[in-house]
Amino acid sequence: MNLSNLKPAEGSVKNRKRIGRGTGSGRGGTSTRGHKGAKSRSGYSSKAGFEGGQMPLVRRVPKFGFKNINRVEYTAVNLDVLQNLATKSGSSVIDFAVLRENGLASKNDNIKVLGRGELTTAIEIHAHAFSQTAVEAIEKAGGKVVTL
């Protein structure tokens, strides 16, 4: 059960509020709109973001900087992490599936290998991007770089 499938109990009946049907109904007179003001008038509709004349949040918050909508985000994995992974698993090929199994990447991540640490074994590494220092270190250790 959740909020999207709630419904009244079988056989229960609840009438809607009938507004503006005389003072005896308890909802006559001002018809639940209170006294005076824009919201009490007919035809009132609020502008999006209007805060009753107070400076709206959109105008209070400073606007600067730039967000590139085409930015490609990478999950960074360093060489020392890959070296530990290779010694632990004993495999010479580290690809996306191995990184996912070991919790270093999620399903839709792009992987970038960075050059921190040292490689002591020759490893074939499959990733979406590599830093220049990482490529040099992998090839120096006798490994192979495969860009996805």
Side-chain angles (χ1 to χ4, degrees), residues 43-66:
Y44 167 78
S45 62
S46 165
K47 195 166 125 186
F50 183 68
E51 298 181 20
Q54 172 177 302
M55 186 61 68
L57 182 69
V58 171
R59 291 184 61 193
R60 289 197 303 260
V61 173
K63 291 160 201 63
F64 59 89
F66 173 76

Side-chain angles (χ1 to χ4, degrees), residues 25-36:
S25 71
R27 297 193 184 88
T30 57
S31 301
T32 72
R33 286 171 178 251
H35 297 279
K36 298 186 184 175

Side-chain angles (χ1 to χ4, degrees), residues 53-145:
Q54 172 177 302
M55 186 61 68
L57 182 69
V58 171
R59 291 184 61 193
R60 289 197 303 260
V61 173
K63 291 160 201 63
F64 59 89
F66 173 76
K67 287 246 192 220
N68 185 358
I69 59 168
N70 299 316
R71 175 187 162 96
V72 178
E73 295 226 2
Y74 291 98
T75 301
V77 179
N78 278 291
L79 291 178
D80 53 357
V81 175
L82 293 174
Q83 179 62 51
N84 291 339
L85 192 65
T87 53
K88 187 176 83 171
S89 66
S91 68
S92 62
V93 177
I94 294 178
D95 59 357
F96 190 73
V98 173
L99 293 171
R100 275 196 69 189
E101 286 168 19
N102 290 282
L104 294 171
S106 298
K107 184 170 69 174
N108 297 321
D109 283 356
N110 289 327
I111 304 296
K112 182 166 185 173
V113 178
L114 303 179
R116 187 189 73 199
E118 284 186 32
L119 281 183
T120 54
T121 56
I123 308 171
E124 184 179 319
I125 301 171
H126 299 249
H128 297 93
F130 295 85
S131 71
Q132 197 172 354
T133 53
V135 171
E136 290 167 6
I138 293 165
E139 289 173 350
K140 182 180 162 192
K144 188 178 169 191
V145 171

Side-chain angles (χ1 to χ4, degrees), residues 1-7:
M1 174 180 288
N2 58 27
L3 290 177
S4 67
N5 61 12
L6 286 178
K7 53 188 177 195

